[in-house]
Amino acid sequence: MRREGFGVARVGGGGLGCVGVGDGGRARQQRWLQQYELVGKIGEGTYGLVFLARTKQHRKSSIAIKKFKQSKEGDGVSPTAIREIMLLREISHENVVKLVNVHINHADMSLYLAFDYAEHDLYEIIRHHREKLNLSINPYTVKSLLWQLLNGLNYLHSNWIIHRDLKPSNILVMGEGEEHGVVKIADFGLARIYQAPLKTLYENGVVVTIWYRAPELLLGAKHYTTAVDMWAVGCIFAELLTLKPLFQGVEVKATPNPFQLDQLDKIFKVLGHPTTEKWPTLVHLPHWANDQQHIQGHKYENTGLHTFVHLAPKSPAFDLLSKMLEYDPRKRITAAQALEHEYFRMDPLPGRNALVPSQPGEKIVNYPGRPVDTTTDFEGTTSIQPPQPPSGNAPPGSVSAQSVAASRAVARQMPAMVGGQRIPAASMAAFNAAAQPGMVGLNPANIPMPRGAAAQQQLRRKDPGVMQNPGYPQQKRRF
Amino acid sequence: MAANFWTSSHCKQLLDPDEVDVVHPLDRERGITQEEFRLVKIHMSFYIWKLAQQVKVRQRVIATATTYFRRVYTRKSMTEYDPRLVTPTCLYLASKAEESTVQARLLVFYIKKMWPDERYRFEIKDILEMEMKLLEALDYYLVVYHPYRPLLQLLQDANITDLTQCAWGLVNDTYKMDLILIYPPYMIALACIYIASVLKDKDTTAWFEELRADMNVVKNISIEILDFYDTYKIDPQKGLLDEKINPIMNKLPSKA
């Protein structure tokens, strides 16, 4: 008997699989896509495109389809896509995006990943508050978003996965529906299982945004630990509080160089100069040791993180934030520890629907939906005449219905308009049942030790992975 | 989950011993017997290993590639999926999954150099097309666990690290068989330690007793490994002899 089809929905195979090559493949490709009704393009990155589609079955659910192009001539399926599929196929958690289908089109050698769709992400939520509402995010929402982010991250870290590219645009939040306001961590293209030795970003030739990058990486640390993700969470927490990125360094893009002086400068200005007393292994970091002039020579005053985030230095929120932004990665708070922090035990308590406050009578923010470019088809071809918006997603007559790619000229003239207009998502139904999964014991070698049947039993215990956790793959944003 | 074997897709996909070595109907039509099927898999395990020596990848990548290869043939026929193409493609895919990508053109280059037989030759395009077919055939499950890591930890725990070389070599040889599709990797590691300790005359009885692992399974795996050596007596460098494998390969259709 073959033991398959767990957690993640059955992928490929059966009638959905497409085995043909050539003309037949194209027909089957159409058949595969025919199970979905294309709404439009919602994102674009170096890997390919992201589409919004709806299933045609009984309940029309929204699906985000990430299409990977062949990376380069002669390189086959992009290693990023391989890593993402390989990890998503193993994991299942309420606060992690859910891969629902994979499809290969042999005709043009493209690969499609279908995810449950999430209407919002932290980038857009923060931006809406900053640019449209001019109002901070309510404390209940901040705390719930942060708790769920940590909950998903704790699951990943417990399973020896480092995300490595956490940033607001990769943290999705579900729109209206059964999972309204639930956080989903997305974009596992850079994620790693860290039981095997990891290569550095530099070696892999990968460029990620530097604003959320941990100081040890900026100083040339060769090995990744889960602490790099916690630094990013700290940066995101601060951004949720203040609506602007905490450390907005200017990236040096010339050569693939982990050393980013301006980013370090931004960090040191807020957190003060790192010292070897507080961070003993600092002396071993290549860029600290090598660059006397810029790094060690310059003396920064500790201006105080609390003044940047407008928190009382003695408040639990500030205590948690400063523990996330601890310089020494070995002293930095872990996701598991953070979930136990006092901040999450005091009012307002975090809830499952982060967007709807638990306190009755509090104002509910109607966040706009994702802008959809309805003029682009699955092939990535943009039509000149935009078709009628097939969904209620794109407001009629809105510029947001236009292709970001096709309307770059327009976008330059009206930058505030592109992607700016959305349909408000009305929402109610909050409940405060924060699901805390029981985690499985750690054991990198998967050996039932400590010995005995009890230990084995524990290792065998199934993770209570929550089904139906929608999400949507993230669109890459370059800053 | 990715780093816990018991909740991994690998664990859930483990097969019963009678589910492997089943000759696909299409291959049976071509006169391939179960024994011949086994020989092709042995031959191709050597092929992966020899090719990997050329492109210089870690043992782990070889092990993952061999596991992919063996998994594919529990589902697909050799008639439709030419092992001579599937093998290098498994190495190609495994190199990506294990984060040490080997370029397809490099594989094509070394195949040409090492195997003059034209039926082994493929173009980059063939490998890239097969890569996608393999992803489907593997149902997109790519995370594989191996006995190497538990082996080292267990040897350390038993304080018999002087057996490392012997036991490691035994683990390498288990990939000539389908054990990785049937047993949890740490059980394979234990069987290799068991054999190594017998070969090197180390008394590990007390340690094994304390482990409370299922010794019946450990002994069964050990017997399978010893039987394998006994039956095939293969030259560890050359692999199967041409006169043994060629008549079998000739039963399979080669590329147009």
Side-chain angles (χ1 to χ4, degrees):
Chain A
M1 122 209 98
R2 216 157 264 171
R3 280 144 268 177
E4 301 184 321
F6 61 97
V8 182
R10 181 106 173 86
V11 171
L16 301 181
C18 164
V19 194
V21 184
D23 292 343
R26 188 160 185 91
R28 288 201 190 93
Q29 137 95 345
Q30 293 307 322
R31 218 174 303 150
W32 184 81
L33 287 174
Q34 269 165 21
Q35 65 183 310
Y36 302 113
E37 180 189 300
L38 174 69
V39 180
K41 188 178 78 174
I42 49 175
E44 169 163 36
T46 45
Y47 55 83
L49 303 167
V50 187
F51 300 97
L52 170 60
R54 293 193 212 292
T55 54
K56 290 176 176 174
Q57 299 105 322
H58 44 288
R59 263 180 62 217
K60 287 200 172 190
S61 50
S62 294
I63 296 286
I65 298 177
K66 195 169 178 175
K67 180 183 181 180
F68 287 90
K69 301 176 285 204
Q70 284 268 335
S71 55
K72 252 188 277 163
E73 198 61 49
D75 276 354
V77 182
S78 98
T80 313
I82 300 259
R83 281 194 297 268
E84 183 155 23
I85 297 174
M86 136 174 199
L87 285 176
L88 288 171
R89 211 66 179 100
E90 302 287 321
I91 58 182
S92 168
H93 188 266
E94 183 175 37
N95 299 120
V96 174
V97 282
K98 189 185 172 196
L99 178 67
V100 294
N101 210 333
V102 182
H103 172 72
I104 280 172
N105 176 21
H106 294 272
D108 71 349
M109 309 268 277
S110 58
L111 179 74
Y112 297 84
L113 303 191
F115 297 86
D116 282 345
Y117 175 70
E119 188 68 79
H120 314 286
D121 61 57
L122 295 194
Y123 178 88
E124 291 298 335
I125 287 172
I126 291 166
R127 198 169 73 123
H128 184 67
H129 278 267
R130 187 183 60 233
E131 290 174 10
K132 293 283 164 349
L133 304 176
N134 200 15
L135 181 78
S136 58
I137 306 173
N138 95 44
Y140 164 82
T141 298
V142 171
K143 193 181 285 186
S144 303
L145 291 171
L146 186 66
W147 193 89
Q148 293 187 41
L149 167 58
L150 286 165
N151 195 34
L153 198 57
N154 182 37
Y155 168 85
L156 295 176
H157 289 176
S158 304
N159 287 290
W160 302 82
I161 295 168
I162 311 180
H163 187 285
R164 310 204 312 173
D165 195 19
L166 288 178
K167 53 185 173 185
S169 57
N170 282 345
I171 317 297
L172 312 181
V173 183
M174 297 300 289
E176 248 186 294
E178 195 273 317
E179 285 200 295
H180 190 206
V182 173
V183 169
K184 306 284 176 183
I185 300 173
D187 206 333
F188 286 78
L190 292 180
R192 289 290 188 283
I193 303 170
Y194 58 94
Q195 60 170 11
L198 299 170
K199 287 191 177 182
T200 59
L201 277 180
Y202 171 81
E203 278 177 76
N204 283 316
V206 180
V207 185
V208 295
T209 180
I210 60 169
W211 295 352
Y212 307 92
R213 201 179 290 172
E216 64 270 25
L217 297 179
L218 296 165
L219 287 168
K222 287 273 178 277
H223 296 286
Y224 284 84
T225 65
T226 51
V228 303
D229 285 340
M230 289 307 295
W231 178 272
V233 173
C235 297
I236 294 166
F237 184 17
E239 195 166 331
L240 286 168
L241 294 168
T242 65
L243 306 180
K244 49 175 200 257
L246 181 60
F247 308 122
Q248 247 174 308
V250 178
E251 188 165 355
V252 184
K253 294 206 174 179
T255 48
N257 183 2
F259 182 60
Q260 296 284 347
L261 185 63
D262 192 57
Q263 184 64 25
L264 284 166
D265 179 68
K266 294 290 190 300
I267 295 170
F268 295 168
K269 272 180 181 153
V270 175
L271 299 177
H273 211 269
T275 61
T276 48
E277 290 86 65
K278 284 192 211 147
W279 183 1
T281 52
L282 187 59
V283 287
H284 304 303
L285 293 173
H287 298 304
W288 177 266
N290 299 340
D291 197 302
Q292 303 281 335
Q293 190 197 346
H294 296 110
I295 301 287
Q296 292 193 43
H298 198 299
K299 286 284 168 257
Y300 294 87
E301 294 300 316
N302 188 346
T303 36
L305 172 63
H306 61 277
T307 57
F308 281 84
V309 292
H310 316 295
L311 287 173
K314 290 206 169 132
S315 66
F318 181 74
D319 184 71
L320 176 57
L321 176 64
S322 54
K323 282 174 173 155
M324 290 171 170
L325 298 175
E326 167 67 50
Y327 274 129
D328 188 342
R330 290 183 305 180
K331 292 182 196 157
R332 205 171 294 150
I333 196 167
T334 65
Q337 290 162 352
L339 287 167
E340 297 299 314
H341 195 273
E342 191 195 344
Y343 170 65
F344 293 117
R345 296 165 187 261
M346 49 183 271
D347 274 341
L349 290 173
R352 185 174 183 261
N353 185 341
L355 302 183
V356 179
S358 54
Q359 304 285 328
E362 274 207 56
K363 193 171 174 285
I364 294 165
V365 177
N366 290 324
Y367 292 101
R370 223 168 265 291
V372 181
D373 161 23
T374 55
T375 64
T376 305
D377 65 16
F378 276 127
E379 298 301 315
T381 320
T382 306
S383 61
I384 298 156
Q385 284 291 322
Q388 287 303 306
S391 72
N393 221 324
S398 153
V399 179
S400 70
Q402 275 181 258
S403 159
V404 179
S407 62
R408 240 169 228 145
V410 184
R412 242 175 255 125
Q413 291 157 21
M414 301 183 279
M417 293 295 285
V418 175
Q421 294 187 15
R422 314 292 179 71
I423 275 278
S427 56
M428 290 305 291
F431 57 101
N432 212 337
Q436 167 78 62
M439 293 312 301
V440 183
L442 301 188
N443 188 345
N446 303 298
I447 306 161
M449 292 194 293
R451 294 160 183 167
Q456 258 205 37
Q457 206 51 44
Q458 203 210 335
L459 280 161
R460 279 178 189 279
R461 209 175 72 207
K462 284 232 169 106
D463 174 74
V466 184
M467 308 296 281
Q468 302 171 315
N469 30 351
Y472 123 94
Q474 100 85 34
Q475 67 221 64
K476 277 242 155 56
R477 282 191 185 84
R478 303 254 163 232
F479 295 98
Chain B
M1 285 189 292
N4 182 326
F5 174 75
W6 299 110
T7 51
S8 69
S9 63
H10 181 162
C11 181
K12 285 165 183 127
Q13 289 183 87
L14 289 180
L15 298 168
D16 290 336
D18 57 357
E19 289 173 305
V20 296
D21 273 342
V22 179
V23 184
H24 194 280
L26 287 174
D27 296 340
R28 221 182 306 135
E29 272 174 34
R30 291 185 168 265
I32 303 275
T33 64
Q34 190 186 50
E35 183 53 24
E36 289 174 332
F37 180 38
R38 219 171 271 163
L39 285 168
V40 173
K41 287 191 282 185
I42 294 170
H43 176 59
M44 288 302 165
S45 306
F46 272 102
Y47 182 106
I48 290 181
W49 183 73
K50 284 181 193 164
L51 185 56
Q53 303 297 305
Q54 297 299 316
V55 294
K56 294 183 177 62
V57 290
R58 290 171 299 150
Q59 189 65 47
R60 198 187 158 77
V61 180
I62 303 175
T64 299
T66 313
T67 309
Y68 289 168
F69 173 82
R70 290 180 176 275
R71 266 191 200 168
V72 165
Y73 289 111
T74 60
R75 299 160 189 184
K76 302 292 182 190
S77 69
M78 299 190 292
T79 304
E80 288 171 303
Y81 287 70
D82 187 343
R84 288 162 290 213
L85 174 57
V86 169
T87 308
T89 312
C90 282
L91 190 62
Y92 181 58
L93 184 57
S95 78
K96 286 184 184 174
E98 300 288 353
E99 289 184 49
S100 40
T101 308
V102 175
Q103 291 191 322
R105 58 171 178 81
L106 209 61
L107 290 171
V108 169
F109 172 80
Y110 282 111
I111 294 167
K112 276 198 179 124
K113 194 176 146 194
M114 302 213 22
W115 287 273
D117 185 341
E118 212 169 80
R119 285 168 299 182
Y120 281 77
R121 287 203 189 164
F122 292 94
E123 302 301 320
I124 294 173
K125 173 177 81 57
D126 302 318
I127 289 183
L128 301 188
E129 277 174 17
M130 183 50 81
E131 183 190 26
M132 296 200 140
K133 289 174 80 172
L134 289 186
L135 278 171
E136 282 180 338
L138 294 167
D139 205 9
Y140 308 99
Y141 289 119
L142 301 173
V143 173
V144 179
Y145 290 80
H146 299 294
Y148 297 104
R149 185 174 292 260
L151 177 81
L152 296 180
Q153 296 194 355
L154 289 163
L155 287 169
Q156 203 139 39
D157 184 74
N159 206 16
I160 42 169
T161 46
D162 47 325
L163 293 186
T164 306
Q165 208 191 344
C166 177
W168 187 279
L170 287 163
V171 169
N172 284 348
D173 286 342
T174 63
Y175 287 90
K176 309 284 188 300
M177 315 161 67
D178 279 318
L179 294 177
I180 194 72
L181 303 186
I182 304 167
Y183 301 103
Y186 86 95
M187 291 300 270
I188 299 173
L190 283 174
C192 293
I193 291 173
Y194 184 73
I195 298 172
S197 59
V198 172
L199 287 174
K200 301 281 174 183
D201 218 9
K202 287 259 178 186
D203 187 9
T204 49
T205 323
W207 180 75
F208 270 108
E209 261 169 31
E210 209 192 319
L211 257 185
R212 295 170 72 178
D214 188 339
M215 279 314 282
N216 285 329
V217 178
V218 173
K219 283 176 183 166
N220 281 342
I221 300 172
S222 307
I223 291 167
E224 279 192 59
I225 295 170
L226 294 172
D227 274 352
F228 174 82
Y229 285 120
D230 236 28
T231 313
Y232 295 102
K233 299 190 174 67
I234 306 164
D235 182 321
Q237 291 309 313
K238 292 182 189 142
L240 293 174
L241 298 172
D242 282 351
E243 56 259 41
K244 199 163 187 183
I245 195 68
N246 281 348
I248 308 170
M249 296 307 286
N250 287 342
K251 292 185 185 180
L252 297 174
S254 72
K255 57 178 173 158

